[in-house]
Amino acid sequence: MEKRRLGHSDLYPTKLGLGCMSLGTDEKRARSIIETALELGINYFDTADLYDYGVNETIVGKALKRVRDKVIIATKVGNRWQEGKAGWYWDPSKKYIKEAVKQSLRRLGTDYIDLYQLHGGTMDDPIDETIEAFEELADEGVIRYYGISSIRPKVIREYLRKSRIVSVMMQYSILDRRPEEQAIPMLKEKGVSLIVRGALAKGLLTDRYAEKLSQAKESGYLDYSYPELEKLLPELQRKLGENRSFTAASLHFVWANPVTGTAVVGASSPEQLQENVKAAEEPPLTEEEYAFIRERTKANIYGLHRIES
């Protein structure tokens, strides 16, 4: 599978990565999915200390132990569990980050993390202090590189200006083109990569979209109402599915952007993962098809969803 350089780092993730949040806590089942990913050539695995109270990191670490030097493990920090794990709160402080990384290393069973990501961020954060924590961890060799997971343009701009991040993870898809307005141009200018999540829009941008469409009856999807989706999705599938699956078209849409380093997708079974990998082998979008997408979808869907900080 094609690999792409992440920013100015020496990390080369496969263009399709495994999002581990959906693996669950059944270790046998989760391991089968991870083993399938490895067999299919995937080398990028994305987890977070928040997922399943840290159990996700433990499962991922165990499954990847034998191939540790051949894979890229990415995890996240910033959401801190309350006492009793009744909920969590935001803590981007240097003290917490430097303590939390120790716990992630222990759970992952490794002595370094390839990509450590801030799991959110606001303009009210002590950003200089947060960056200092990541820089010190990089200097100590505890992490190789760092990035942020954020959809907030102002936050992204601040980290691009002040830090050495190599990536920004954010939602991006045919139905969510928000990054095109501000984020992607900023990333391109600074040579920072986009790590895409949500490329398949909760299944709405797959060949099984009809099954998922019923879940959007009440609230739609972002600025798309249910009636709009009911009309748009079949149109997209008919046009884009002539030469490939609808799933493949949706993934190729985000891969077509040169800023994209990898697209992270989840999988609840080895079979689902195999389908997604197969999509990577299907033909890319033509210029005509890409133009069709841009014509039929909303370029700026911020509206009520715009986040200013």
Side-chain angles (χ1 to χ4, degrees):
M1 188 184 299
E2 178 190 346
K3 295 178 182 178
R4 298 181 172 188
R5 187 180 183 185
L6 209 60
H8 296 299
S9 76
D10 60 359
L11 299 178
Y12 285 81
T14 44
K15 69 177 185 179
L16 186 71
L18 180 64
C20 299
M21 183 174 69
S22 59
L23 291 177
T25 55
D26 182 328
E27 188 169 348
K28 183 177 180 181
R29 173 177 160 277
R31 185 181 286 270
S32 70
I33 295 172
I34 293 173
E35 288 292 341
T36 299
L38 292 170
E39 290 168 8
L40 295 172
I42 290 174
N43 75 348
Y44 182 87
F45 297 83
D46 192 278
T47 180
D49 58 4
L50 185 68
Y51 303 160
D52 296 316
Y53 307 103
V55 173
N56 195 270
E57 285 184 324
T58 300
I59 290 174
V60 169
K62 285 183 179 179
L64 296 176
K65 190 173 183 64
R66 66 178 180 83
V67 291
R68 179 65 189 94
D69 61 336
K70 297 180 176 64
V71 296
I72 297 169
I73 295 179
T75 191
K76 309 179 195 74
V77 66
N79 292 299
R80 185 171 187 171
W81 287 106
Q82 295 174 343
E83 289 294 327
K85 297 181 179 177
W88 63 86
Y89 59 96
W90 181 239
D91 187 354
S93 67
K94 177 180 177 180
K95 181 180 180 182
Y96 177 65
I97 291 171
K98 298 203 73 173
E99 180 57 36
V101 74
K102 296 175 186 176
Q103 303 307 317
S104 285
L105 289 168
R106 177 183 59 78
R107 288 189 292 263
L108 288 164
T110 184
D111 55 4
Y112 68 95
I113 293 167
D114 297 290
L115 181 65
Y116 204 35
Q117 301 164 98
L118 184 67
H119 205 172
T122 75
M123 290 302 291
D124 294 326
D125 293 346
I127 293 178
D128 290 339
E129 177 185 318
T130 302
I131 292 171
E132 190 174 279
F134 282 103
E135 287 289 342
E136 288 182 8
L137 291 175
D139 290 341
E140 293 163 8
V142 175
I143 65 174
R144 293 177 66 190
Y145 299 97
Y146 66 97
I148 62 171
S149 176
S150 176
I151 61 171
R152 293 176 165 90
K154 287 185 179 180
V155 172
I156 294 169
R157 186 179 295 110
E158 197 72 359
Y159 276 88
L160 289 174
R161 187 172 69 86
K162 292 184 172 183
S163 76
R164 293 187 295 168
I165 58 170
V166 299
S167 63
V168 175
M169 173 180 272
M170 70 180 74
Q171 187 167 298
Y172 181 43
S173 73
I174 288 174
L175 294 179
D176 187 354
R177 293 171 52 201
R178 285 178 290 179
E180 294 175 3
E181 185 184 36
Q182 296 182 55
I184 286 176
M186 288 192 290
L187 298 183
K188 184 177 181 181
E189 180 184 351
K190 295 292 185 178
V192 171
S193 291
L194 171 64
I195 296 178
V196 175
R197 62 177 177 83
L200 301 178
K202 298 181 178 179
L204 289 173
L205 294 173
T206 70
D207 296 282
R208 297 173 182 168
Y209 73 88
E211 300 171 23
K212 304 294 182 180
L213 192 52
S214 60
Q215 299 171 15
K217 276 190 175 179
E218 289 188 13
S219 57
Y221 184 79
L222 296 176
D223 277 2
Y224 290 93
S225 67
Y226 177 74
E228 284 179 315
L229 292 171
E230 211 174 17
K231 179 184 178 182
L232 175 63
L233 295 177
E235 285 182 357
L236 290 170
Q237 187 187 42
R238 281 194 299 271
K239 177 66 176 179
L240 307 177
E242 293 177 358
N243 300 310
R244 69 194 67 74
S245 67
F246 190 21
T247 302
S250 302
L251 288 170
H252 278 291
F253 172 78
V254 300
W255 285 329
N257 199 304
V259 173
T260 299
T262 183
V264 174
V265 296
S268 56
S269 68
E271 293 73 25
Q272 185 181 17
L273 184 59
Q274 288 167 348
E275 288 178 17
N276 290 333
V277 171
K278 182 181 178 182
E281 300 167 354
E282 295 185 52
L285 296 170
T286 64
E287 288 186 15
E288 179 192 355
E289 290 168 329
Y290 199 73
F292 179 84
I293 291 172
R294 298 181 69 84
E295 177 189 333
R296 291 293 195 279
T297 59
K298 302 177 183 181
N300 181 349
I301 64 165
Y302 275 105
L304 296 176
H305 301 285
R306 178 182 287 279
I307 300 175
E308 294 292 354
S309 62

